[in-house]
Amino acid sequence: MVVDSTSGPGPSVSRFLVRDPALWIGGKCVAAESGEDFEVIDPASGRPIAVAARGGAADIDKAVRAARTAFEAAAWRDLSAGSRAQLLWRYADVIEAHAQELAELEVLNNGMPIGFAQWSIAASANWLRHYAGLAGRLAGRHNSAAVSGDGQRFHAYTAPEPVGVVGLITPWNGPIAGFMIKVAPALAAGCTCIVKPAENTPLTALRLAELASQAGIPDGVLNVVTGFGDAGAALVDHPGVDKISFTGSTETGKSVLRAAANHIKRTTLELGGKSPCIVFDDADMDRAIPGAAQAIFANSGQVCFAGSRLYVQRASFDRVVEGVAAIAASLRIGSGLDTGNAVGPMISDRQRQRVVDYIAMGKAEGGEVVAGGRPLDRDGFFIEPTVFTNLASSARIVREEIFGPVVVATPFDDLEEVAALGNDTNYGLGAGIFTSHLAKAHSLAARLRAGNVWVNCYGVTHPAMPFGGFKESGLGREFGEEGFAAFLETKSVFVDLGGL
Ligand code: ADP
């Protein structure tokens, strides 16, 4: 483990950081009703870098009104599919033209390695283009033959329609990706949006909303209200919001679902995980060992589908654990702005303390630390990538989501046993399988109760493939046809032809 010196941002980012705190409502900067604001912290230094407006219920109400007006307006509602697609393409182009600025802002606010920020910006542009294509392929079904007969005749069809005004509540672990995975399909479906970014990372959402305006997306179609959980709760509770798409912790997701029930509000939840990464003896170890390490250490383990439970077939256990521990020890830790660094900080002091507490708990539960295990004695919220062994499956550190770079490795004997171990969790988001045996891979993929299974790879996503969780990892899907349908209502129309 090597620690670097911290590098600084470019001039366009510096200008953005010193501006007055504001929300983005109806296509312009608007002060929060309360006049309150809060500090935005660079987790790599622990120091404030900007001030954000603290939006509350009154601001949410203002944003919902703006979004409703925009939803009803011909300038948005009556756009042809081609024109809507063109706007999304233009938005993608504008984002790419500002890629460097967005990447620096993302890293400064979140701490992630800049390569990950650059990936999420390129991916966001691609998602917009992917959904631009889908906007033109939205079609209902014609069903006259099935509903007619016995003396009755109907012309019957279904029409997909935008669900309406949508509240998009995003987490801090991937602010740009978390924004665009929701905004791109929502816009393509014809919805209007209020985004409530996480309080730790409000900056890139504001910049992305400004860039949407620059691309020609009409005022009020995309609004951003920065603030805390009370602003998110006000969004969920607002009767003018037709749907909530939420990404965050399972605990908060449960309260979102309870509150959404008051209005039978459509709800998509993308929540926590405790995902297994499984390595068989017959795996190509040159892929499996780095794959298992990347599964947990990417973005400092602050990933909902992080492979935080590593299961290795017994004969290969020592080799794989030593390999993953060696990678943990070799990863360069430091500011994400320095391209030489592979591991950034935890998002906050609170999050670092949470990981430190889990590590202490793992030791108390009898676990052995074979790599890492300590916070760094320097500015910023850094912690060493950590590998545990020797823990029972009942240990809290094996069962609870940590959201940090901490993996617990456990040996197994056969497929039956590892299927049971993998499924021994309330979560069901991801699972990795490393094997060179085709039938084993498919058989285990079918047995694992997880929304995403990766064979000989980990964490791959694509907008054409649905992403989401079984069990307490979520409700519904993002991406794929399912993710697009989540921003649509289906209407059935019957026209009586019996009069003729
Ligand atoms: P964490 O505990 O890691 O901060 P959360 O799940 O609480 O994660 O936060 C995810 C997002 O949900 C953030 O934007 C946060 O402000 C928001 N949020 C927090 N509490 C609520 C709530 N009760 N209702 C709606 N949104 C909330």
Side-chain angles (χ1 to χ4, degrees):
M1 182 267 298
V2 190
V3 179
D4 79 325
S5 61
T6 306
S7 343
S12 47
V13 170
S14 302
R15 271 196 303 277
F16 185 81
L17 296 177
V18 297
R19 58 180 221 155
D20 288 339
L23 315 170
W24 184 262
I25 298 177
K28 52 182 189 294
C29 289
V30 178
E33 286 282 326
S34 67
E36 285 179 39
D37 46 42
F38 59 99
E39 279 184 336
V40 182
I41 307 290
D42 168 9
S45 67
R47 286 189 284 276
I49 47 167
V51 178
R54 178 163 185 165
D59 307 289
I60 289 289
D61 185 55
K62 203 187 280 181
V64 172
R65 285 168 198 276
R68 179 61 61 187
T69 303
F71 182 70
E72 308 283 351
W76 183 244
R77 195 190 53 203
D78 293 348
L79 275 184
S80 69
S83 298
R84 194 183 304 285
Q86 198 175 29
L87 273 181
L88 297 184
W89 271 83
R90 219 179 286 152
Y91 190 17
D93 292 344
V94 171
I95 286 173
E96 282 177 340
H98 292 80
Q100 181 60 24
E101 175 199 337
L102 283 167
E104 285 178 11
L105 202 55
E106 183 84 331
V107 173
L108 211 55
N109 194 175
N110 165 280
M112 65 175 66
I114 193 152
F116 181 46
Q118 285 160 338
W119 170 85
S120 55
I121 292 155
S124 293
N126 285 336
W127 299 342
L128 281 165
R129 295 189 181 112
H130 176 85
Y131 283 104
L134 290 189
R137 291 176 52 198
L138 262 182
R141 295 187 305 276
H142 172 239
N143 216 344
S144 301
V147 302
S148 300
D150 303 331
Q152 291 192 305
R153 265 191 330 128
F154 294 94
H155 174 56
Y157 60 93
T158 66
E161 296 186 358
V163 73
V165 172
V166 297
L168 310 176
I169 301 175
T170 63
W172 45 259
N173 61 331
I176 290 179
F179 176 100
M180 201 52 83
I181 198 172
K182 299 184 190 304
V183 166
L187 296 182
C191 297
T192 57
C193 315
I194 301 105
V195 181
K196 209 302 280 174
E199 48 271 41
N200 299 96
T201 54
L203 299 182
T204 41
L206 289 166
R207 190 69 184 118
L208 284 168
E210 287 180 353
L211 294 178
S213 250
Q214 203 170 309
I217 294 186
D219 293 349
V221 167
L222 178 52
N223 308 279
V224 174
V225 177
T226 53
F228 289 71
D230 60 311
L235 192 55
V236 179
D237 204 37
H238 198 295
V241 174
D242 298 296
K243 177 198 165 70
I244 291 289
S245 179
F246 169 87
T247 301
S249 63
T250 292
E251 226 26 65
T252 306
K254 288 179 183 176
S255 83
V256 166
L257 191 56
R258 275 192 291 270
N262 289 332
H263 305 279
I264 316 289
K265 203 161 283 190
R266 284 92 187 97
T267 309
T268 300
L269 301 174
E270 206 274 277
L271 308 175
K274 193 74 187 177
S275 299
C277 181
I278 296 162
V279 180
F280 284 94
D281 285 335
D282 60 26
D284 171 357
M285 294 300 171
D286 291 339
R287 288 170 77 164
I289 293 171
Q294 175 242 329
I296 182 63
F297 301 137
N299 210 25
S300 305
Q302 300 175 120
V303 177
C304 50
F305 54 75
S308 49
R309 294 183 293 142
L310 173 60
Y311 295 106
V312 186
Q313 206 162 13
R314 201 168 296 277
S316 307
F317 187 74
D318 290 348
R319 178 178 171 198
V320 172
V321 170
E322 275 163 28
V324 172
I327 292 174
S330 72
L331 292 171
R332 229 177 98 121
I333 305 176
S335 161
L337 289 173
D338 183 331
T339 50
N341 292 329
V343 175
M346 299 283 94
I347 190 67
S348 62
D349 203 20
R350 186 175 137 233
Q351 185 64 19
R352 180 177 58 171
Q353 192 54 48
R354 177 185 159 90
V355 178
V356 166
D357 291 347
Y358 267 109
I359 290 172
M361 192 192 297
K363 288 180 186 165
E365 287 174 315
E368 187 188 338
V369 176
V370 293
R374 289 165 309 176
L376 300 197
D377 185 18
R378 58 168 284 186
D379 287 346
F381 312 128
F382 297 94
I383 195 152
E384 292 174 333
T386 300
V387 182
F388 267 98
T389 56
N390 200 34
L391 279 152
S393 53
S394 58
R396 280 184 63 189
I397 193 175
V398 179
R399 307 205 70 80
E400 297 175 16
E401 183 176 44
I402 301 173
F403 228 63
V406 181
V407 65
V408 177
T410 307
F412 70 90
D413 289 307
D414 56 28
L415 190 146
E416 281 304 316
E417 184 191 5
V418 81
L421 286 168
N423 289 332
D424 184 15
T425 170
N426 292 340
Y427 294 110
L429 193 50
I433 303 170
F434 286 89
T435 176
S436 53
H437 195 288
L438 203 58
K440 208 183 278 178
H442 287 294
S443 304
L444 186 55
R447 294 281 297 277
L448 290 169
R449 309 257 309 139
N452 310 273
V453 178
W454 296 288
V455 178
N456 294 330
C457 58
Y458 200 93
V460 180
T461 57
H462 190 281
M465 294 292 285
F467 176 83
F470 283 30
K471 301 194 267 184
E472 291 191 17
S473 285
L475 195 63
R477 293 290 180 272
E478 301 194 278
F479 280 161
E481 285 176 24
E482 293 85 343
F484 195 34
F487 288 103
L488 297 165
E489 290 277 14
T490 300
K491 182 177 285 174
S492 293
V493 182
F494 296 82
V495 183
D496 189 342
L497 303 179
L500 288 179

